[in-house]
Amino acid sequence: MEEDYHGLGIAGRLLRHLAGIAKEKRVAEFHAEVLPGNKGMLAVFSKSGFPVKQEYAEGVTHVTLLLAGDAQ
């Protein structure tokens, strides 16, 4: 079941890997639309080490992850 994989850090690892590829390709930022109830994914973005901007509109949290910042 997919619930068996929650909380293992897979999303964070995948995000860091994709961010590395994006930086090589000169992609400056990622954009995501996250349901406000998805606290796990919002936490992944917040803990990524990259500057994050979040705006709430029309029932969705719009997230911008600035890849020019240093990830930890």
Side-chain angles (χ1 to χ4, degrees):
M1 300 185 137
E2 74 180 55
E3 294 294 324
D4 295 341
Y5 297 99
H6 285 213
L8 297 178
I10 295 169
R13 294 179 95 183
L14 180 59
L15 179 60
R16 285 189 298 278
H17 181 71
L18 291 173
I21 294 169
K23 286 174 116 177
E24 289 175 6
K25 302 291 184 182
R26 298 186 176 196
V27 173
E29 52 191 43
F30 284 155
H31 297 268
E33 293 185 352
V34 182
L35 294 174
N38 191 345
K39 303 294 184 197
M41 197 65 232
L42 292 171
V44 167
F45 289 129
S46 294
K47 295 177 182 179
S48 70
F50 293 106
V52 177
K53 294 181 185 177
Q54 293 186 16
E55 297 177 7
Y56 181 80
E58 300 178 16
V60 175
T61 302
H62 301 274
V63 179
T64 302
L65 192 69
L66 305 171
L67 301 179
D70 293 325
Q72 298 172 355

